Amino acid sequence: PEDQLFMHDGGLYPRIVCCPDTMKILDTFEARSDDVILVGYAKTGTNWVGQILKELEAASGKYDDEEMKRRQQIEKELKLLPYLEFGDPGKFERLKKLPSRRVIKTHLIPQKIPKSIFQKKAKILVLFRNPKDTAVSYFHFSKGMSIVPDQKTWDDFFSEFMNGIVPYGLYFNHIIEWNKYLDDKNIMFITYEELKENTALGIKKLAEFFNFSVTEQDIQSITEKTSFNSMKEKSHETHGKMGNTLFRKGIVGDWKSVFSESQNEEMDRKFEEAAGRTKLGKMLKY
Ligand code: PPS
């Protein structure tokens, strides 16, 4: 495991994208009060929801073509990897040059979220997905990316996932920890399933929460632009070779074709024993 994962402050991180020196200085990240923060455990749909937020920001900012190009150029030059914890430690300096409103994504557990995000009262969207589909998505991704050690079969992966021996640790812990923030007015919780069921409505709720001023028409167009098929079609442009692994199926309930009866029981039991008892856990019924 040392090859692919490293331990920092009690947490496991993927070496392929996270650097120990960056993890050490996460708290030097300087948030702005108007930052748009998206938090979600790996494979919960963070690329999808991140794109929705970027589209909302652009529509709300009413940037003309020239301004849009200027922003894209700055972003390109800054060479910022897509998650706060990814890349070299110099990124926190470079992030200061990114024009507002910045959309910042992370897979981190709340204890590791840079403190200035809370101090500046930046709004945070916390995304969850039912743990079974999350595990299946993670398995396919880890095979494609070799970010998890020795994941040759689904059974191996299932066992590691249930024991938290995967990047970002045990998914259930994220639920238990975020549950403590349920009453925080600066934090909104949403599920992948809810967003899938009625995407336009979900996008509308996100716009209201982050105070994006958009029209019904904007919401319709963002719904279309961020559909699974549209994002998959563009994935070579946006994600290069990784596109095919990342935009896999984009559906709810894929776990049913993968989980064995006993794995299903084990997950139900362990979920009920831990995260399932929390209020947030009850929102994630699947
Ligand atoms: S990562 O690698 O942790 O950043 O992955 P993440 O983006 O969080 O999650 C990947 C899963 O999200 C699905 N996805 C989508 N679903 C619906 N609509 C859209 N537009 C969309 N884009 C990505 C993606 O297919 C992964 O789920 P699975 O189940 O593997 O298909």
Side-chain angles (χ1 to χ4, degrees):
E2 291 81 45
D3 287 351
Q4 287 102 334
L5 303 179
F6 68 91
M7 183 80 116
H8 168 74
D9 199 13
L12 278 178
Y13 300 93
R15 208 180 280 283
I16 193 169
V17 282
C18 292
C19 143
D21 288 340
T22 303
M23 297 308 298
K24 281 181 204 141
I25 61 159
L26 270 178
D27 261 334
T28 62
F29 169 69
E30 290 178 22
R32 299 177 194 156
S33 55
D34 67 355
D35 278 343
V36 174
I37 311 284
L38 169 65
V39 189
Y41 184 78
K43 312 319 293 177
T44 54
T46 52
N47 278 281
W48 177 28
V49 180
Q51 190 56 35
I52 291 175
L53 295 174
K54 282 193 96 168
E55 297 283 355
L56 279 169
E57 200 276 327
S60 175
K62 299 183 176 50
Y63 310 131
D64 58 21
D65 287 353
E66 206 177 312
E67 175 63 8
M68 208 57 195
K69 265 195 208 134
R70 191 185 73 89
R71 286 175 172 255
Q72 281 162 357
Q73 190 56 29
I74 297 174
E75 203 168 339
K76 212 169 129 195
E77 279 165 14
L78 291 175
K79 293 191 174 29
L80 296 161
L81 291 178
Y83 294 80
L84 189 62
E85 63 277 16
F86 286 10
D88 63 292
K91 74 177 303 177
F92 300 116
E93 273 307 310
R94 304 206 297 285
L95 269 164
K96 291 178 185 167
K97 297 192 182 119
L98 202 60
S100 293
R101 292 174 77 179
R102 303 179 298 187
V103 175
I104 310 256
K105 290 186 290 185
T106 173
H107 293 309
L108 295 171
I109 200 158
Q111 296 96 310
K112 298 289 187 305
I113 300 280
K115 293 193 184 51
S116 84
I117 291 178
F118 296 107
Q119 283 156 359
K120 286 279 163 63
K121 296 192 165 38
K123 289 199 174 179
I124 307 174
L125 176 67
V126 185
L127 172 68
F128 281 101
R129 184 179 191 182
N130 83 69
K132 294 179 186 173
D133 283 334
T134 303
V136 170
S137 179
Y138 214 157
F139 167 62
H140 288 287
F141 186 70
S142 66
K143 273 202 310 186
M145 295 293 294
S146 70
I147 52 162
V148 190
D150 302 314
Q151 299 313 330
K152 299 204 173 56
T153 68
W154 158 249
D155 289 348
D156 287 341
F157 182 81
F158 178 78
S159 148
E160 310 248 300
F161 183 85
M162 294 308 289
N163 288 299
I165 312 172
V166 289
Y168 304 103
L170 191 64
Y171 183 35
F172 294 168
N173 279 347
H174 288 246
I175 302 171
I176 291 169
E177 289 305 323
W178 279 113
N179 183 65
K180 297 172 186 163
Y181 293 81
L182 265 187
D183 298 326
D184 190 323
K185 296 273 173 292
N186 280 319
I187 303 183
M188 174 177 173
F189 293 85
I190 197 158
T191 63
Y192 180 96
E193 291 75 18
E194 173 186 352
L195 207 50
K196 253 325 256 197
E197 197 170 284
N198 192 338
T199 309
L201 182 65
I203 294 178
K204 201 170 172 172
K205 285 187 196 168
L206 299 186
E208 277 162 19
F209 174 68
F210 284 109
N211 299 316
F212 286 127
S213 64
V214 288
T215 61
E216 283 296 330
Q217 217 175 348
D218 288 329
I219 290 176
Q220 273 317 315
S221 117
I222 295 171
T223 305
E224 284 155 29
K225 272 198 227 170
T226 59
S227 74
F228 178 76
N229 287 334
S230 311
M231 285 186 70
K232 191 181 173 75
E233 264 168 37
K234 284 214 205 89
S235 68
H236 273 283
E237 248 170 76
T238 55
H239 292 78
K241 274 187 284 178
M242 225 179 78
N244 271 345
T245 318
L246 192 59
F247 299 90
R248 193 184 60 94
K249 281 196 177 172
I251 58 167
V252 176
D254 195 35
W255 65 270
K256 288 177 188 150
S257 60
V258 179
F259 271 60
S260 71
E261 189 77 14
S262 74
Q263 285 166 341
N264 190 26
E265 276 165 21
E266 181 181 339
M267 188 171 273
D268 282 347
R269 182 167 39 80
K270 290 194 174 154
F271 183 74
E272 274 316 314
E273 280 166 10
R277 292 197 182 154
T278 64
K279 209 166 155 188
L280 182 58
K282 291 193 195 344
M283 285 163 59
L284 307 180
K285 278 287 172 229
Y286 45 90

